[in-house]
Coordinates of all heavy atoms in Angstrom, one line a residue:
M1477 N 0.8 -1.2 0.0 CA 0.0 0.0 0.0 C 0.9 1.3 0.0 O 1.9 1.3 0.7 CB -0.9 0.0 1.3 CG -2.1 0.8 1.2 SD -3.3 0.1 0.0 CE -4.6 -0.5 1.2
A1478 N 0.5 2.2 -0.8 CA 1.3 3.4 -0.9 C 0.3 4.6 -0.8 O -0.8 4.6 -1.4 CB 2.1 3.5 -2.1
K1479 N 0.7 5.6 0.0 CA -0.2 6.8 0.1 C 0.2 7.7 -1.0 O 1.4 8.1 -1.2 CB 0.1 7.5 1.5 CG -1.0 8.4 1.9 CD -0.8 8.9 3.3 CE -1.3 7.9 4.4 NZ -2.7 7.6 4.3
I1480 N -0.7 8.1 -1.9 CA -0.4 8.9 -3.0 C -1.3 10.2 -3.0 O -2.5 10.1 -2.7 CB -0.7 8.1 -4.4 CG1 0.2 6.9 -4.4 CG2 -0.4 9.0 -5.6 CD1 0.1 6.1 -5.7
T1481 N -0.6 11.3 -3.2 CA -1.3 12.6 -3.3 C -1.5 13.0 -4.7 O -0.5 13.1 -5.5 CB -0.5 13.7 -2.5 OG1 -0.3 13.2 -1.2 CG2 -1.2 15.0 -2.6
Y1482 N -2.7 13.2 -5.2 CA -3.1 13.6 -6.5 C -3.5 15.1 -6.4 O -4.4 15.4 -5.6 CB -4.2 12.8 -7.1 CG -4.0 11.3 -7.2 CD1 -4.1 10.4 -6.2 CD2 -3.6 10.8 -8.5 CE1 -3.9 9.1 -6.3 CE2 -3.4 9.4 -8.6 CZ -3.5 8.6 -7.6 OH -3.3 7.2 -7.7
I1483 N -2.9 16.0 -7.1 CA -3.3 17.4 -7.0 C -3.9 17.8 -8.4 O -3.2 17.8 -9.4 CB -2.1 18.2 -6.7 CG1 -1.4 17.7 -5.4 CG2 -2.5 19.7 -6.5 CD1 -0.2 18.4 -5.0
E1484 N -5.1 18.2 -8.3 CA -5.8 18.7 -9.6 C -5.2 20.0 -10.0 O -4.6 20.7 -9.2 CB -7.3 18.9 -9.3 CG -8.1 17.6 -9.0 CD -9.5 18.0 -8.8 OE1 -10.2 18.5 -9.7 OE2 -10.0 17.7 -7.7
F1485 N -5.5 20.4 -11.2 CA -4.9 21.7 -11.7 C -5.4 22.8 -10.9 O -4.7 23.8 -10.7 CB -5.3 21.9 -13.2 CG -4.7 23.1 -13.8 CD1 -3.4 23.1 -14.2 CD2 -5.4 24.2 -14.0 CE1 -2.7 24.2 -14.7 CE2 -4.8 25.4 -14.5 CZ -3.5 25.4 -14.8
N1486 N -6.6 22.7 -10.4 CA -7.2 23.8 -9.5 C -6.6 23.8 -8.1 O -7.0 24.6 -7.3 CB -8.7 23.8 -9.5 CG -9.2 22.6 -8.8 OD1 -8.5 21.8 -8.1 ND2 -10.5 22.3 -8.9
G1487 N -5.7 22.9 -7.8 CA -5.1 22.9 -6.5 C -5.7 21.9 -5.5 O -5.2 21.7 -4.4
A1488 N -6.9 21.3 -5.9 CA -7.5 20.4 -5.0 C -6.7 19.1 -4.8 O -6.2 18.5 -5.8 CB -8.9 20.0 -5.5
E1489 N -6.4 18.8 -3.5 CA -5.6 17.6 -3.2 C -6.4 16.4 -2.8 O -7.4 16.6 -2.1 CB -4.6 18.0 -2.1 CG -3.5 18.9 -2.5 CD -2.4 19.0 -1.4 OE1 -2.3 18.1 -0.6 OE2 -1.7 20.0 -1.5
H1490 N -6.0 15.3 -3.3 CA -6.7 14.0 -2.9 C -5.6 13.1 -2.4 O -4.7 12.7 -3.2 CB -7.4 13.4 -4.0 CG -8.3 14.3 -4.7 ND1 -9.7 14.4 -4.4 CD2 -8.1 15.3 -5.7 CE1 -10.3 15.3 -5.2 NE2 -9.3 15.9 -6.0
V1491 N -5.7 12.6 -1.2 CA -4.7 11.7 -0.6 C -5.3 10.3 -0.4 O -6.3 10.3 0.3 CB -4.1 12.2 0.7 CG1 -3.0 11.3 1.2 CG2 -3.5 13.6 0.6
V1492 N -4.9 9.3 -1.1 CA -5.5 8.0 -1.0 C -4.4 6.9 -0.9 O -3.3 7.1 -1.3 CB -6.4 7.7 -2.2 CG1 -7.6 8.6 -2.3 CG2 -5.6 7.8 -3.5
D1493 N -4.9 5.8 -0.3 CA -4.0 4.6 -0.2 C -4.2 3.8 -1.5 O -5.4 3.4 -1.8 CB -4.3 3.8 1.0 CG -3.9 4.5 2.3 OD1 -2.8 5.1 2.3 OD2 -4.6 4.4 3.3
V1494 N -3.2 3.5 -2.2 CA -3.3 2.7 -3.4 C -2.6 1.4 -3.2 O -1.4 1.4 -2.8 CB -2.7 3.5 -4.6 CG1 -2.9 2.7 -5.9 CG2 -3.4 4.8 -4.7
P1495 N -3.2 0.2 -3.5 CA -2.6 -1.1 -3.2 C -1.4 -1.3 -4.2 O -1.4 -0.9 -5.3 CB -3.7 -2.1 -3.5 CG -4.9 -1.3 -3.9 CD -4.6 0.1 -4.0
K1496 N -0.4 -2.0 -3.7 CA 0.8 -2.4 -4.4 C 0.3 -3.2 -5.6 O -0.6 -4.0 -5.5 CB 1.6 -3.3 -3.5 CG 3.0 -3.2 -3.8 CD 3.9 -3.8 -2.7 CE 3.5 -5.1 -2.0 NZ 4.5 -5.6 -1.2
G1497 N 0.9 -3.0 -6.8 CA 0.5 -3.8 -8.0 C -0.6 -3.0 -8.8 O -0.7 -3.4 -10.0
S1498 N -1.3 -2.1 -8.3 CA -2.2 -1.2 -9.1 C -1.3 -0.2 -9.8 O -0.1 0.0 -9.5 CB -3.2 -0.4 -8.2 OG -4.0 -1.3 -7.5
S1499 N -1.9 0.5 -10.8 CA -1.2 1.6 -11.4 C -1.6 2.9 -10.7 O -2.7 2.9 -10.0 CB -1.5 1.7 -12.9 OG -2.8 2.0 -13.1
V1500 N -0.8 3.9 -10.8 CA -1.2 5.2 -10.3 C -2.5 5.7 -10.9 O -3.4 6.3 -10.2 CB -0.1 6.2 -10.5 CG1 -0.5 7.6 -10.2 CG2 1.2 5.8 -9.7
M1501 N -2.8 5.4 -12.2 CA -4.0 5.7 -12.8 C -5.2 5.0 -12.1 O -6.2 5.6 -11.8 CB -4.0 5.3 -14.3 CG -5.3 5.5 -15.1 SD -6.4 4.1 -14.9 CE -5.9 2.9 -16.0
E1502 N -5.1 3.7 -11.8 CA -6.1 2.9 -11.2 C -6.5 3.5 -9.8 O -7.6 3.6 -9.4 CB -5.8 1.5 -11.1 CG -5.8 0.8 -12.4 CD -5.2 -0.6 -12.4 OE1 -4.2 -0.9 -11.7 OE2 -5.7 -1.5 -13.2
G1503 N -5.4 4.0 -9.1 CA -5.6 4.6 -7.8 C -6.5 5.8 -7.9 O -7.4 6.0 -7.0
A1504 N -6.4 6.6 -8.9 CA -7.2 7.7 -9.1 C -8.6 7.4 -9.5 O -9.6 7.8 -9.0 CB -6.6 8.7 -10.2
V1505 N -8.7 6.5 -10.5 CA -10.0 6.1 -11.1 C -10.9 5.4 -10.0 O -12.1 5.8 -9.8 CB -9.9 5.2 -12.3 CG1 -11.2 4.6 -12.7 CG2 -9.3 6.0 -13.4
K1506 N -10.3 4.5 -9.2 CA -11.1 3.8 -8.2 C -11.5 4.7 -7.1 O -12.5 4.4 -6.4 CB -10.2 2.6 -7.6 CG -10.0 1.5 -8.6 CD -9.7 0.2 -8.0 CE -9.7 -0.9 -9.0 NZ -8.3 -1.4 -9.3
N1507 N -10.8 5.8 -6.9 CA -11.2 6.7 -5.8 C -11.9 7.9 -6.4 O -12.2 8.9 -5.7 CB -10.0 7.2 -5.1 CG -9.4 6.1 -4.2 OD1 -10.0 5.7 -3.2 ND2 -8.3 5.4 -4.6
M1508 N -12.3 7.8 -7.7 CA -13.1 8.9 -8.4 C -12.5 10.3 -8.3 O -13.1 11.3 -8.0 CB -14.5 8.9 -7.8 CG -15.1 7.5 -7.8 SD -16.8 7.4 -8.3 CE -17.7 8.3 -7.1
I1509 N -11.2 10.3 -8.4 CA -10.4 11.5 -8.4 C -10.5 12.2 -9.8 O -10.1 11.6 -10.8 CB -9.0 11.3 -8.0 CG1 -8.9 10.8 -6.5 CG2 -8.1 12.6 -8.1 CD1 -7.6 10.3 -6.1
P1510 N -11.0 13.4 -9.9 CA -11.1 14.1 -11.2 C -9.7 14.4 -11.7 O -8.7 14.6 -10.9 CB -11.8 15.4 -10.9 CG -12.2 15.4 -9.5 CD -11.4 14.3 -8.8
G1511 N -9.6 14.5 -13.0 CA -8.3 14.9 -13.6 C -7.5 13.8 -14.3 O -6.5 14.1 -15.0
I1512 N -8.0 12.6 -14.1 CA -7.3 11.5 -14.8 C -8.5 10.7 -15.5 O -9.3 10.0 -14.8 CB -6.5 10.5 -13.8 CG1 -5.3 11.3 -13.3 CG2 -6.1 9.3 -14.5 CD1 -4.4 10.5 -12.4
D1513 N -8.6 10.9 -16.8 CA -9.7 10.3 -17.5 C -9.5 8.9 -17.9 O -10.4 8.1 -17.8 CB -10.0 11.2 -18.8 CG -10.3 12.6 -18.4 OD1 -10.8 12.8 -17.3 OD2 -10.1 13.5 -19.3
A1514 N -8.3 8.5 -18.3 CA -7.9 7.1 -18.6 C -8.9 6.5 -19.7 O -9.4 5.5 -19.5 CB -7.9 6.3 -17.3
D1515 N -9.1 7.2 -20.8 CA -10.0 6.8 -21.8 C -9.7 5.4 -22.3 O -10.7 4.7 -22.7 CB -10.0 7.8 -23.0 CG -10.7 9.1 -22.6 OD1 -11.4 9.1 -21.6 OD2 -10.4 10.1 -23.3
C1516 N -8.5 5.0 -22.4 CA -8.2 3.7 -23.0 C -8.1 2.6 -21.9 O -7.8 1.4 -22.2 CB -6.9 3.7 -23.8 SG -5.4 3.7 -22.7
G1517 N -8.4 2.9 -20.7 CA -8.4 1.9 -19.6 C -7.0 1.4 -19.2 O -6.9 0.3 -18.6
G1518 N -6.0 2.1 -19.6 CA -4.7 1.7 -19.1 C -3.8 1.0 -20.1 O -2.8 0.3 -19.8
A1519 N -4.2 1.1 -21.4 CA -3.5 0.4 -22.5 C -2.4 1.2 -23.1 O -1.8 0.9 -24.1 CB -4.5 0.0 -23.6
C1520 N -2.1 2.3 -22.5 CA -1.0 3.2 -23.0 C -1.3 3.7 -24.4 O -0.5 3.8 -25.3 CB 0.4 2.5 -23.0 SG 1.8 3.6 -23.1
A1521 N -2.6 4.0 -24.6 CA -3.0 4.4 -26.0 C -3.8 5.7 -26.0 O -4.3 6.0 -27.1 CB -3.8 3.3 -26.6
C1522 N -3.9 6.4 -24.9 CA -4.8 7.6 -25.0 C -4.1 8.9 -24.5 O -4.5 10.0 -24.9 CB -6.1 7.4 -24.3 SG -6.0 7.3 -22.5
A1523 N -3.2 8.7 -23.5 CA -2.5 9.8 -22.9 C -3.5 10.8 -22.1 O -3.1 11.9 -21.8 CB -1.7 10.6 -23.9
T1524 N -4.7 10.3 -21.8 CA -5.5 11.1 -20.9 C -5.3 10.8 -19.4 O -6.1 11.2 -18.6 CB -7.0 10.9 -21.3 OG1 -7.4 9.6 -21.0 CG2 -7.3 11.3 -22.7
C1525 N -4.3 10.1 -19.1 CA -3.9 9.8 -17.7 C -2.6 10.5 -17.4 O -1.9 10.1 -16.5 CB -3.8 8.3 -17.5 SG -2.5 7.6 -18.4
L1526 N -2.3 11.5 -18.2 CA -1.0 12.2 -18.0 C -0.9 12.9 -16.6 O -1.9 13.5 -16.1 CB -0.8 13.3 -19.1 CG 0.5 14.0 -19.1 CD1 1.4 13.2 -20.1 CD2 0.4 15.4 -19.6
V1527 N 0.2 12.7 -16.0 CA 0.5 13.4 -14.7 C 1.9 14.0 -14.8 O 2.7 13.6 -15.6 CB 0.4 12.5 -13.5 CG1 -1.0 12.0 -13.3 CG2 1.4 11.3 -13.6
Y1528 N 2.1 15.0 -13.9 CA 3.5 15.5 -13.7 C 3.9 14.9 -12.3 O 3.3 15.2 -11.3 CB 3.5 17.0 -13.6 CG 2.9 17.6 -14.9 CD1 1.8 18.5 -14.9 CD2 3.5 17.4 -16.1 CE1 1.2 19.0 -16.0 CE2 2.9 17.9 -17.3 CZ 1.8 18.7 -17.2 OH 1.3 19.3 -18.4
V1529 N 5.0 14.2 -12.4 CA 5.5 13.6 -11.1 C 6.3 14.7 -10.4 O 7.1 15.5 -10.9 CB 6.5 12.5 -11.5 CG1 7.2 11.9 -10.2 CG2 5.8 11.4 -12.3
D1530 N 6.0 14.8 -9.1 CA 6.7 15.8 -8.3 C 8.2 15.6 -8.4 O 8.7 14.5 -8.4 CB 6.2 15.6 -6.8 CG 6.8 16.7 -5.9 OD1 7.9 16.6 -5.4 OD2 6.1 17.8 -5.7
P1531 N 8.9 16.7 -8.5 CA 10.4 16.6 -8.8 C 11.1 15.7 -7.7 O 12.1 15.1 -8.0 CB 10.9 18.0 -8.7 CG 9.7 18.9 -9.1 CD 8.5 18.1 -8.6
A1532 N 10.6 15.7 -6.5 CA 11.2 14.9 -5.5 C 11.1 13.4 -5.7 O 11.7 12.6 -5.1 CB 10.6 15.2 -4.1
W1533 N 10.2 13.0 -6.6 CA 9.8 11.6 -6.9 C 10.2 11.1 -8.2 O 10.0 9.9 -8.5 CB 8.3 11.4 -6.7 CG 8.0 11.5 -5.2 CD1 7.6 12.6 -4.5 CD2 8.0 10.4 -4.3 NE1 7.4 12.3 -3.2 CE2 7.7 10.9 -3.0 CE3 8.4 9.1 -4.4 CZ2 7.6 10.2 -1.9 CZ3 8.3 8.3 -3.2 CH2 7.9 8.8 -2.0
T1534 N 10.8 11.9 -9.1 CA 11.1 11.5 -10.4 C 12.1 10.3 -10.4 O 11.9 9.3 -11.2 CB 11.6 12.6 -11.3 OG1 12.6 13.3 -10.6 CG2 10.5 13.6 -11.7
D1535 N 13.1 10.3 -9.6 CA 14.0 9.1 -9.6 C 13.3 7.9 -9.1 O 13.5 6.8 -9.7 CB 15.2 9.4 -8.6 CG 16.2 10.4 -9.2 OD1 16.0 10.7 -10.4 OD2 17.1 10.9 -8.5
A1536 N 12.5 8.0 -8.1 CA 11.8 6.8 -7.6 C 10.8 6.2 -8.6 O 10.7 5.0 -8.7 CB 11.1 7.1 -6.3
V1537 N 10.2 7.1 -9.3 CA 9.2 6.6 -10.3 C 9.9 6.0 -11.6 O 9.5 5.1 -12.2 CB 8.3 7.8 -10.7 CG1 7.5 7.5 -12.0 CG2 7.4 8.1 -9.6
G1538 N 11.0 6.6 -11.9 CA 11.8 6.1 -13.1 C 11.4 6.7 -14.4 O 10.4 7.5 -14.5
A1539 N 12.0 6.3 -15.4 CA 11.8 6.8 -16.8 C 10.7 6.0 -17.5 O 10.6 4.8 -17.2 CB 13.1 6.8 -17.6
P1540 N 10.0 6.6 -18.5 CA 9.0 5.8 -19.2 C 9.7 4.8 -20.1 O 10.8 5.0 -20.6 CB 8.3 6.9 -20.1 CG 9.2 8.1 -20.0 CD 10.1 8.0 -18.8
A1541 N 9.0 3.7 -20.4 CA 9.5 2.7 -21.3 C 9.2 3.2 -22.8 O 8.5 4.2 -22.9 CB 8.8 1.4 -21.1
A1542 N 9.7 2.5 -23.7 CA 9.7 2.9 -25.1 C 8.3 3.2 -25.6 O 8.0 4.2 -26.2 CB 10.4 1.9 -26.0
M1543 N 7.3 2.3 -25.3 CA 5.9 2.5 -25.8 C 5.3 3.7 -25.2 O 4.7 4.5 -25.9 CB 5.1 1.3 -25.4 CG 3.7 1.3 -26.0 SD 2.8 -0.3 -25.9 CE 2.3 -0.3 -24.2
E1544 N 5.6 3.9 -23.9 CA 5.0 5.1 -23.2 C 5.7 6.4 -23.8 O 5.0 7.4 -24.0 CB 5.2 5.0 -21.7 CG 4.7 6.3 -21.0 CD 5.0 6.3 -19.5 OE1 5.4 5.2 -19.0 OE2 4.9 7.3 -18.9
R1545 N 7.0 6.3 -24.0 CA 7.7 7.5 -24.5 C 7.1 7.9 -25.9 O 6.9 9.0 -26.2 CB 9.2 7.2 -24.7 CG 10.0 8.4 -24.9 CD 11.5 8.0 -24.9 NE 12.0 7.6 -23.6 CZ 12.3 8.5 -22.6 NH1 12.1 9.7 -22.7 NH2 12.7 8.0 -21.4
S1546 N 6.8 6.9 -26.7 CA 6.3 7.3 -28.0 C 4.9 7.9 -27.9 O 4.5 8.8 -28.7 CB 6.3 6.1 -29.0 OG 5.6 5.0 -28.5
M1547 N 4.1 7.4 -26.9 CA 2.8 8.1 -26.7 C 3.0 9.5 -26.2 O 2.3 10.5 -26.6 CB 2.0 7.4 -25.6 CG 1.0 6.3 -26.1 SD -0.1 6.8 -27.4 CE -1.1 8.0 -26.6
L1548 N 4.0 9.7 -25.3 CA 4.2 11.1 -24.8 C 4.7 12.0 -25.9 O 4.4 13.2 -25.9 CB 5.3 11.0 -23.7 CG 4.8 10.4 -22.4 CD1 6.0 10.2 -21.5 CD2 3.8 11.3 -21.7
D1549 N 5.3 11.5 -27.0 CA 5.7 12.3 -28.1 C 4.5 13.0 -28.8 O 4.6 14.0 -29.4 CB 6.5 11.5 -29.1 CG 7.9 11.2 -28.7 OD1 8.4 11.8 -27.7 OD2 8.5 10.3 -29.3
F1550 N 3.4 12.3 -28.7 CA 2.2 12.9 -29.3 C 1.2 13.6 -28.4 O 0.3 14.2 -28.8 CB 1.4 11.8 -30.0 CG 2.1 11.2 -31.2 CD1 2.8 9.9 -31.1 CD2 2.2 11.8 -32.4 CE1 3.5 9.4 -32.1 CE2 2.9 11.3 -33.5 CZ 3.6 10.1 -33.3
A1551 N 1.5 13.5 -27.1 CA 0.6 14.1 -26.1 C 0.9 15.6 -26.0 O 1.9 16.1 -26.4 CB 0.8 13.5 -24.8
E1552 N -0.1 16.3 -25.5 CA 0.0 17.8 -25.3 C 0.5 18.1 -23.9 O 0.3 17.2 -23.0 CB -1.3 18.5 -25.5 CG -1.7 18.5 -27.0 CD -3.1 19.0 -27.1 OE1 -3.5 20.0 -26.5 OE2 -3.9 18.4 -27.9
D1553 N 1.1 19.3 -23.7 CA 1.5 19.7 -22.3 C 2.5 18.8 -21.7 O 2.5 18.6 -20.5 CB 0.2 19.8 -21.4 CG -0.8 20.7 -22.0 OD1 -0.5 21.7 -22.6 OD2 -2.0 20.4 -21.8
V1554 N 3.3 18.2 -22.5 CA 4.3 17.3 -21.9 C 5.5 18.0 -21.4 O 6.0 19.0 -22.1 CB 4.8 16.2 -23.0 CG1 5.9 15.4 -22.5 CG2 3.6 15.3 -23.4
R1555 N 5.9 17.7 -20.2 CA 7.1 18.3 -19.6 C 8.1 17.1 -19.3 O 7.8 15.9 -19.4 CB 6.8 19.0 -18.3 CG 5.8 20.1 -18.5 CD 5.5 20.7 -17.2 NE 4.3 21.5 -17.2 CZ 3.5 21.8 -16.2 NH1 3.9 21.4 -15.0 NH2 2.5 22.6 -16.3
E1556 N 9.3 17.5 -18.8 CA 10.3 16.5 -18.5 C 9.8 15.5 -17.5 O 10.2 14.3 -17.5 CB 11.5 17.3 -18.0 CG 12.8 16.6 -18.3 CD 14.0 17.5 -18.1 OE1 14.1 18.5 -18.9 OE2 14.7 17.3 -17.1
N1557 N 9.0 15.9 -16.6 CA 8.5 15.0 -15.5 C 7.1 14.4 -15.8 O 6.4 14.0 -14.9 CB 8.5 15.8 -14.1 CG 7.5 17.0 -14.2 OD1 7.2 17.5 -15.2 ND2 7.1 17.4 -13.0
S1558 N 6.7 14.5 -17.1 CA 5.4 13.9 -17.4 C 5.5 12.4 -17.5 O 6.5 11.8 -18.0 CB 5.0 14.4 -18.8 OG 4.7 15.8 -18.8
R1559 N 4.5 11.7 -17.0 CA 4.4 10.3 -17.2 C 2.9 9.9 -17.4 O 2.0 10.7 -17.1 CB 4.8 9.5 -15.9 CG 6.3 9.6 -15.6 CD 7.1 8.7 -16.6 NE 6.6 7.4 -16.8 CZ 6.9 6.3 -16.1 NH1 7.8 6.4 -15.1 NH2 6.4 5.1 -16.4
L1560 N 2.7 8.8 -18.1 CA 1.3 8.3 -18.2 C 1.1 7.5 -16.9 O 1.8 6.5 -16.7 CB 1.2 7.5 -19.4 CG 1.4 8.2 -20.7 CD1 1.2 7.3 -21.9 CD2 0.4 9.4 -20.8
S1561 N 0.1 7.9 -16.1 CA -0.1 7.3 -14.8 C -0.5 5.8 -14.9 O -0.3 5.1 -13.9 CB -1.0 8.1 -13.9 OG -2.3 8.2 -14.6
C1562 N -1.0 5.4 -16.0 CA -1.4 3.9 -16.1 C -0.1 3.1 -16.3 O -0.2 1.9 -16.1 CB -2.3 3.7 -17.3 SG -1.6 3.9 -18.9
Q1563 N 1.0 3.7 -16.5 CA 2.3 3.0 -16.7 C 3.2 3.0 -15.5 O 4.3 2.6 -15.5 CB 3.0 3.5 -18.0 CG 2.2 3.4 -19.2 CD 1.7 2.0 -19.6 OE1 2.6 1.1 -19.6 NE2 0.4 1.7 -19.7
I1564 N 2.7 3.6 -14.4 CA 3.4 3.7 -13.2 C 2.8 2.6 -12.2 O 1.7 2.8 -11.8 CB 3.4 5.0 -12.5 CG1 3.9 6.1 -13.5 CG2 4.3 5.1 -11.3 CD1 3.7 7.6 -12.9
Q1565 N 3.6 1.6 -12.0 CA 3.1 0.5 -11.0 C 3.4 1.0 -9.6 O 4.5 1.5 -9.3 CB 3.8 -0.8 -11.3 CG 3.5 -1.4 -12.6 CD 2.0 -1.8 -12.7 OE1 1.4 -2.4 -11.8 NE2 1.3 -1.3 -13.7
V1566 N 2.4 0.8 -8.7 CA 2.6 1.2 -7.4 C 3.4 0.2 -6.6 O 3.1 -1.0 -6.7 CB 1.2 1.4 -6.7 CG1 1.4 1.7 -5.2 CG2 0.5 2.6 -7.4
T1567 N 4.4 0.6 -5.9 CA 5.2 -0.3 -5.0 C 5.4 0.4 -3.7 O 5.0 1.6 -3.5 CB 6.6 -0.5 -5.6 OG1 7.3 0.8 -5.6 CG2 6.6 -1.0 -7.0
D1568 N 5.9 -0.3 -2.7 CA 6.1 0.3 -1.4 C 7.0 1.5 -1.5 O 6.9 2.5 -0.7 CB 6.7 -0.7 -0.4 CG 5.7 -1.8 0.0 OD1 4.5 -1.5 -0.2 OD2 6.1 -2.9 0.4
A1569 N 7.9 1.5 -2.5 CA 8.9 2.6 -2.6 C 8.2 3.9 -3.0 O 8.8 4.9 -3.0 CB 9.9 2.2 -3.7
L1570 N 7.0 3.8 -3.5 CA 6.3 5.0 -3.9 C 5.3 5.6 -2.8 O 4.5 6.4 -3.1 CB 5.5 4.8 -5.2 CG 6.3 4.4 -6.5 CD1 5.5 4.4 -7.7 CD2 7.5 5.4 -6.6
D1571 N 5.5 5.1 -1.6 CA 4.7 5.6 -0.5 C 5.0 7.0 -0.3 O 6.2 7.4 0.0 CB 5.0 4.7 0.8 CG 4.0 5.1 1.9 OD1 2.9 5.5 1.6 OD2 4.4 5.0 3.1
G1572 N 4.0 7.9 -0.5 CA 4.3 9.3 -0.3 C 4.3 10.1 -1.6 O 4.4 11.3 -1.7
L1573 N 4.2 9.4 -2.7 CA 4.3 10.0 -4.1 C 3.3 11.1 -4.3 O 2.2 11.1 -3.8 CB 4.0 8.9 -5.1 CG 3.9 9.3 -6.6 CD1 5.2 9.8 -7.1 CD2 3.3 8.2 -7.4
V1574 N 3.7 12.1 -5.0 CA 2.9 13.3 -5.3 C 2.9 13.5 -6.8 O 3.9 13.5 -7.4 CB 3.4 14.6 -4.6 CG1 2.6 15.8 -5.0 CG2 3.5 14.4 -3.1
V1575 N 1.7 13.5 -7.4 CA 1.5 13.8 -8.8 C 0.5 14.9 -9.0 O -0.4 15.1 -8.2 CB 1.1 12.5 -9.6 CG1 2.1 11.4 -9.6 CG2 -0.3 12.0 -9.2
R1576 N 0.7 15.7 -10.1 CA -0.2 16.8 -10.4 C -0.8 16.5 -11.8 O -0.2 15.9 -12.7 CB 0.6 18.1 -10.4 CG 1.0 18.5 -9.1 CD 1.8 19.8 -9.1 NE 2.1 20.2 -7.7 CZ 3.1 19.7 -6.9 NH1 3.8 18.7 -7.4 NH2 3.2 20.1 -5.7
M1577 N -2.0 16.9 -12.0 CA -2.7 16.7 -13.2 C -2.7 18.0 -14.1 O -2.7 19.1 -13.6 CB -4.2 16.3 -13.0 CG -4.3 14.9 -12.6 SD -3.9 14.6 -10.9 CE -5.5 14.5 -10.2
P1578 N -2.6 17.9 -15.4 CA -2.5 19.0 -16.3 C -3.9 19.7 -16.4 O -4.9 19.1 -16.2 CB -2.1 18.5 -17.6 CG -2.4 17.0 -17.6 CD -2.4 16.6 -16.2
E1579 N -3.9 21.0 -16.8 CA -5.1 21.7 -17.0 C -6.1 21.1 -17.9 O -7.3 21.0 -17.7 CB -4.8 23.1 -17.5 CG -6.0 24.0 -17.6 CD -5.6 25.4 -18.0 OE1 -4.5 25.7 -18.4 OE2 -6.5 26.3 -17.8
R1580 N -5.6 20.5 -19.0 CA -6.4 19.9 -20.0 C -7.3 18.8 -19.5 O -8.4 18.5 -20.0 CB -5.5 19.3 -21.1 CG -6.1 18.9 -22.4 CD -5.0 18.7 -23.4 NE -3.9 17.8 -22.9 CZ -3.9 16.5 -22.9 NH1 -4.9 15.9 -23.5 NH2 -2.9 15.8 -22.4
Q1581 N -6.9 18.1 -18.4 CA -7.7 17.0 -17.8 C -8.5 17.5 -16.6 O -8.9 16.7 -15.8 CB -6.7 15.9 -17.4 CG -6.1 15.2 -18.6 CD -4.9 14.3 -18.2 OE1 -4.0 14.1 -19.1 NE2 -4.8 13.9 -17.0
G1582 N -8.6 18.8 -16.5 CA -9.3 19.4 -15.3 C -10.8 19.3 -15.5 O -11.3 18.8 -16.4
Ligands
FES1708 S1 -5.1 5.3 -19.5 FE1 -4.8 5.6 -21.7 S2 -2.7 6.0 -21.8 FE2 -3.0 5.7 -19.7

């Protein structure tokens, strides 16, 4: 279980416990947190689950794999710390993770 803080573009914070093995996207969807649409259901094919990983957590989260990177090439509002949240697996090491959602998904 990892405690994850999701921050909407408008500043609203949601702190939830997400089970190990789920994705960061699933943690948001299961808790009905706005800002992560996940239109493709986690198939790395829509980029509506984009998040900005808090700078303190980018090393722990790691870099995107090739498939995710190619989706990010086509996504809007991409920054260096952007990740598709469906591609981030929750582990104990991510307990305390903070992610922010882009305006477009607000
Ligand atoms: S849910 Fe579609 S890319 Fe993540």
Side-chain angles (χ1 to χ4, degrees):
M1477 203 69 107
K1479 201 170 276 303
I1480 300 183
T1481 301
Y1482 299 83
I1483 305 177
E1484 292 180 64
F1485 185 77
N1486 67 11
E1489 286 191 24
H1490 307 266
V1491 184
V1492 294
D1493 288 322
V1494 182
K1496 209 162 45 168
S1498 300
S1499 68
V1500 170
M1501 175 278 277
E1502 288 169 328
V1505 169
K1506 289 204 174 108
N1507 290 286
M1508 309 219 300
I1509 295 171
I1512 293 186
D1513 298 334
D1515 290 340
C1516 77
C1520 196
C1522 72
T1524 62
C1525 66
L1526 189 90
V1527 294
Y1528 303 120
V1529 175
D1530 186 273
W1533 286 93
T1534 48
D1535 284 352
V1537 168
M1543 186 168 77
E1544 179 184 347
R1545 193 175 292 281
S1546 57
M1547 269 311 291
L1548 286 169
D1549 283 344
F1550 294 102
E1552 289 172 43
D1553 306 323
V1554 172
R1555 300 179 196 158
E1556 212 164 288
N1557 59 342
S1558 295
R1559 289 291 313 268
L1560 297 179
S1561 58
C1562 68
Q1563 302 301 305
I1564 306 173
Q1565 292 300 308
V1566 174
T1567 63
D1568 291 338
L1570 295 187
D1571 187 29
L1573 175 67
V1574 178
V1575 296
R1576 292 178 175 77
M1577 281 79 101
E1579 181 173 19
R1580 193 168 50 87
Q1581 290 162 208

